[in-house]
Amino acid sequence: MTLMEERQKRIDDAASLREPDRVPITGTGMCYPIFNAGYTVADVVYDFDKYADAVIKALVQYEPDAAGGGISIAGQGPLLEVMRPKNVAWPGAPGGRIGVNSVNQFIEFPVLQEEDMDFFMQDYTGWLLKKGYPATNGLLEPIADWDFSRHLVGEHYTGLCRMLSTPAAREMIQTMWKVTDMVEEMGKKQQELNKKIHDLGFPSTNGGGGLVPFDAYSDFYRGTLDTMLDLYEHPEVIQKFIDWNMENVLESITMQAKFAPGKWVFMPLHKGMDGFLNDEQYRDYYWKYLQKMILHIIDVGMVPFVYTEGPYDSRIKYLKDVPKGKVIYSFEKVDAVNVKKELGDIACIQGVFPVYLLHYGTKQQVIDEVKRHIDILAPGGGYIFTTGAGYDNAKPENVEAMFETVKTYGKR
């Protein structure tokens, strides 16, 4: 059996609730590989080759059982400058809104204004062109001035041609061609990195991703505060968006299953944590649709990989209602003993380990806490060791101790 096959079997056994030869460990901690290789985050945001170098160095140094845990906008700095998004701040961007070692920051604001809700519900495509795109992207601002209603089917369309040929429209369209070329070039670089990782013997779990419709509504359309008010003042708008968006999410998952390099479909849960929604709201607006996504992912032959951001103890009773041995739950913050008791024979458990220890703790504290988590979560199988979140600024000696302890103490 090759090293790749050993690692893949170890991961697959744990994901299927079997007990592997030892506890698998995945990922190398978000920005940690970047700092470990001597780069800033801005360096890799503007140079994908530096990102690839950092990733490979971390994999060779720590030898996890699967690659993963990088940053999402590696190499995209030049692209972002061209597109000029209004809801993202990134390290190295002109103006220096955030530091060179920050991860990219999402800037949340209500794109959907209350006075536009009827427009949004009656003509989503029209709202998207006139309001949504221009409000969130500088490149697409000229679209707000387009008025397709004045150009009838059967005309010679000369007016339509003029509308699409203004100086602003021409510049936008030409820039779109440039954007497409840049995206294709980045895709080639990512494929090259994927091949290098594979040739080194590290499995890839990356099977794409999906976002719960409630999170999409809150993140991109109304913002957190306005969404919470909408639950009481405009529930029909939320529900209509969820129903419409759900169809798109399921279709996207089906497409990802056809070409993704790995099988894990990553689903970060942004607004489902304890305290954001009451129990009834979580059930009706959130869990019902997360469960549909989970079941659909399983139906198309993929693995639901659910990351629960924030504390999640009160939601465990819902997470139990899934097919046995088909789901991976990765927790940022949850009671380890209780989650093993409630989910240990239903789903694979990841995460939970506190990243602050890697940042501020001693080497011995890290070793002791790794052993404690293995003692609680590993018995009987169904456990993959990861940290609860990225350990960007961790002490190298603590990261080394974590990997070494999992590989020695985690043996069956």
Side-chain angles (χ1 to χ4, degrees):
M1 185 180 293
T2 67
L3 188 56
M4 168 77 83
E5 291 170 337
E6 288 180 11
R7 289 168 172 157
Q8 188 68 64
K9 184 178 186 305
R10 193 172 291 133
I11 292 290
D12 290 344
D13 283 349
S16 301
L17 304 187
R18 297 187 295 271
E19 193 166 8
D21 61 331
R22 70 158 169 80
V23 172
I25 179 170
T26 63
T28 46
M30 287 293 288
C31 295
Y32 178 78
I34 298 168
F35 303 146
N36 194 48
Y39 300 123
T40 68
V41 180
D43 287 336
V44 303
V45 167
Y46 278 84
D47 188 338
F48 189 89
D49 291 339
K50 291 180 179 178
Y51 174 69
D53 177 61
V55 168
I56 296 299
K57 283 181 178 177
L59 289 174
V60 171
Q61 180 176 356
Y62 295 106
E63 296 187 313
D65 290 299
I71 65 171
S72 61
I73 63 167
Q76 293 186 24
L79 174 66
L80 291 167
E81 287 194 20
V82 170
M83 297 190 68
R84 309 194 309 277
K86 302 176 184 180
N87 55 0
V88 178
W90 65 95
R97 184 169 184 175
I98 61 176
V100 295
N101 277 326
S102 172
V103 294
N104 52 297
Q105 299 294 312
F106 183 73
I107 304 167
E108 190 179 271
F109 60 90
V111 177
L112 171 59
Q113 299 295 323
E114 192 154 1
E115 60 267 24
D116 292 327
M117 283 189 170
D118 288 342
F119 184 20
F120 177 79
M121 293 182 69
Q122 294 168 13
D123 182 7
Y124 174 76
T125 301
W127 175 86
L128 196 63
L129 291 171
K130 297 288 288 183
K131 302 284 187 174
Y133 286 157
T136 57
N137 196 292
L139 173 61
L140 303 180
E141 286 177 349
I143 297 177
D145 297 326
W146 295 357
D147 184 2
F148 291 99
S149 66
R150 299 175 59 190
H151 307 288
L152 302 176
V153 172
E155 289 184 326
H156 291 295
Y157 303 115
T158 56
L160 178 63
C161 290
R162 283 196 300 271
M163 184 179 74
L164 300 179
S165 300
T166 64
R170 290 187 186 209
E171 182 181 358
M172 182 190 72
I173 292 169
Q174 290 171 347
T175 305
M176 285 179 168
W177 299 341
K178 181 180 179 180
V179 165
T180 300
D181 292 341
M182 295 172 77
V183 170
E184 289 179 354
E185 182 61 29
M186 283 190 295
K188 292 177 183 178
K189 287 182 175 291
Q190 184 63 61
Q191 289 176 359
E192 292 171 0
L193 176 58
N194 291 344
K195 185 178 185 304
K196 288 180 181 179
I197 291 171
H198 182 274
D199 291 346
L200 286 170
F202 296 99
S204 173
T205 58
N206 180 24
L211 198 61
V212 175
F214 184 88
D215 283 339
Y217 181 86
S218 179
D219 290 352
F220 302 119
Y221 292 85
R222 290 287 283 158
T224 303
L225 295 179
D226 287 292
T227 296
M228 297 305 144
L229 292 174
D230 288 349
L231 286 167
Y232 300 95
E233 297 178 356
H234 302 288
E236 74 288 351
V237 178
I238 296 179
Q239 190 61 60
K240 184 165 184 176
F241 173 83
I242 287 175
D243 292 340
W244 168 82
N245 185 243
M246 194 69 206
E247 296 180 13
N248 293 340
V249 170
L250 298 182
E251 181 180 348
S252 174
I253 289 168
T254 300
M255 292 300 296
Q256 290 176 64
K258 297 178 180 179
F259 60 81
K263 288 191 173 183
W264 292 10
V265 179
F266 178 58
M267 292 180 285
L269 307 186
H270 294 164
K271 307 294 170 66
M273 67 183 73
D274 296 346
F276 261 65
L277 302 169
N278 64 36
D279 201 57
E280 181 180 356
Q281 290 167 340
Y282 182 83
R283 182 191 67 226
D284 294 342
Y285 290 105
Y286 207 96
W287 171 248
K288 182 193 297 186
Y289 302 96
L290 172 57
Q291 186 183 45
K292 285 182 180 180
M293 292 171 65
I294 288 172
L295 296 177
H296 186 72
I297 290 168
I298 295 170
D299 286 345
V300 299
M302 306 281 273
V303 179
F305 175 36
V306 183
Y307 177 53
T308 65
E309 296 189 5
Y312 231 78
D313 292 288
S314 69
R315 312 303 193 191
I316 300 300
K317 60 184 178 183
Y318 293 101
L319 302 185
K320 295 168 65 173
D321 193 10
V322 295
K324 183 177 180 179
K326 299 291 185 180
V327 181
I328 299 169
Y329 289 125
S330 187
F331 295 95
E332 179 178 0
K333 186 177 181 180
V334 77
D335 181 88
V337 174
N338 184 61
V339 81
K340 179 66 174 180
K341 175 184 175 183
E342 297 295 328
L343 291 177
D345 61 348
I346 296 172
C348 177
I349 298 169
Q350 278 199 175
V352 189
F353 188 88
V355 294
Y356 69 83
L357 275 182
L358 297 176
H359 294 168
Y360 307 112
T362 65
K363 179 178 177 179
Q364 189 58 50
Q365 285 175 321
V366 170
I367 292 171
D368 292 343
E369 190 67 6
V370 169
K371 289 180 177 180
R372 189 179 79 85
H373 277 76
I374 291 174
D375 288 342
I376 294 171
L377 296 167
Y383 174 53
I384 298 173
F385 187 97
T386 55
T387 54
Y391 44 93
D392 299 345
N393 296 296
K395 299 176 185 176
E397 63 270 25
N398 285 350
V399 176
E400 189 70 44
M402 177 181 70
F403 274 88
E404 182 180 352
T405 305
V406 172
K407 292 178 181 179
T408 54
Y409 190 77
K411 289 182 178 179
R412 185 167 57 189

